[in-house]
């Protein structure tokens, strides 16, 4: 079993002019690629296996990232299931004058661990420790159940974590 800190990946880079749109902000696709790389490393560190991107579950482009910005992408496994892992990604930009960091974007990716033939393989459990890790860990199961319900792979009546949100106690 691992803690999220075991898989945490931090990548810092500079936004170059060739990576920007006509408004001189980082292309969304370029940011997606950076997030995918950081998430891949986090998933691989947790599972110690080859990992593949299964889905991009959520992306929020809350702030533009101007050319010349220092961008830090932080990725950590928020929950491990049987063969899949949910990776939560935070994107920070650093003010070039004050050095202050501001959260610009976030995303949630799902990766699957595979063996050398590409067959899904089991991953170790995850033990959240901090309040934020516990919050993301708990929410990951609700997100997974919602995804399975929407895909027709889980009956709504069996989505216990989702039902718990809507049922008064």
């Amino acid at each position: 079993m691992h803690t999220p800190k075991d898989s945490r990946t931090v990548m810092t880079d500079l936004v170059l002019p060739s990576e920007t749109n006509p408004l001189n902000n980082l292309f969304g696709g370029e940011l997606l690629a950076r997030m995918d790389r950081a998430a891949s490393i986090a998933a691989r560190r947790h599972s110690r296996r080859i990992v593949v991107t299964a889905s991009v579950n959520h992306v929020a482009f809350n702030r533009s990232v101007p050319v010349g910005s220092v961008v830090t992408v932080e990725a950590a496994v928020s929950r491990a299931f049987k063969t899949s892992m949910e990776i939560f990604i935070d994107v920070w930009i650093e003010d070039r004058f004050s050095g202050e960091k501001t959260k610009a974007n976030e995303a949630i990716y799902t990766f699957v661990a595979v063996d050398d033939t590409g067959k899904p393989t089991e991953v170790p459990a995850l033990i959240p420790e901090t309040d934020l890790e516990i919050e993301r860990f708990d929410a990951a199961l609700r997100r997974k159940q919602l995804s399975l319900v929407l895909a027709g792979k889980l009956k709504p009546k069996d989505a216990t974590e989702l039902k718990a949100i809507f049922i008064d106690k």
Side-chain angles (χ1 to χ4, degrees):
M1 290 197 225
H2 301 286
T3 66
K5 287 180 225 37
D6 296 333
S7 67
R8 189 166 175 263
T9 298
V10 179
M11 295 173 48
T12 301
D13 203 357
L14 186 67
V15 176
L16 302 174
S18 63
E19 302 166 324
T20 62
N21 62 26
L23 296 173
N24 289 317
N25 294 315
L26 183 66
F27 278 119
E30 174 62 32
L31 182 57
L32 288 170
R34 291 178 187 202
M35 290 188 292
D36 191 57
R37 282 191 293 275
S40 173
I41 293 167
R44 185 176 182 123
R45 284 178 171 164
H46 177 78
S47 66
R48 295 293 173 209
R49 297 289 191 166
I50 298 167
V51 296
V52 294
T53 309
S55 64
V56 177
N57 307 33
H58 166 77
V59 177
F61 294 109
N62 297 319
R63 294 184 60 146
S64 57
V65 182
V67 67
S69 295
V70 172
V71 178
T72 300
V73 178
E74 296 179 358
V77 177
S78 48
R79 187 157 187 157
F81 296 96
K82 184 175 180 180
T83 61
S84 67
M85 295 155 282
E86 181 189 87
I87 317 299
F88 206 101
I89 303 150
D90 294 305
V91 178
W92 303 86
I93 54 175
E94 186 177 317
D95 182 273
R96 65 185 97 164
F97 301 109
S98 70
E100 181 181 336
K101 290 185 179 180
T102 304
K103 186 169 176 182
N105 303 292
E106 65 182 24
I108 301 170
Y109 283 48
T110 298
F111 278 77
V112 173
V114 297
D115 63 17
D116 293 337
T117 66
K119 181 181 174 202
T121 185
E122 288 192 27
V123 299
L126 183 88
I127 303 170
E129 295 176 341
T130 68
D131 289 344
L132 180 60
E133 290 167 358
I134 292 166
E135 178 186 317
R136 288 178 175 181
F137 180 89
D138 291 343
L141 182 55
R142 293 189 294 272
R143 285 188 288 271
K144 180 169 181 147
Q145 285 187 351
L146 178 59
S147 177
L148 291 172
V149 167
L150 293 173
K153 296 178 180 179
L154 179 68
K155 295 186 184 321
K157 69 180 179 70
D158 296 328
T160 55
E161 295 296 315
L162 286 175
K163 286 187 344 188
I165 295 172
F166 300 104
I167 297 175
D168 291 332
K169 295 184 183 191

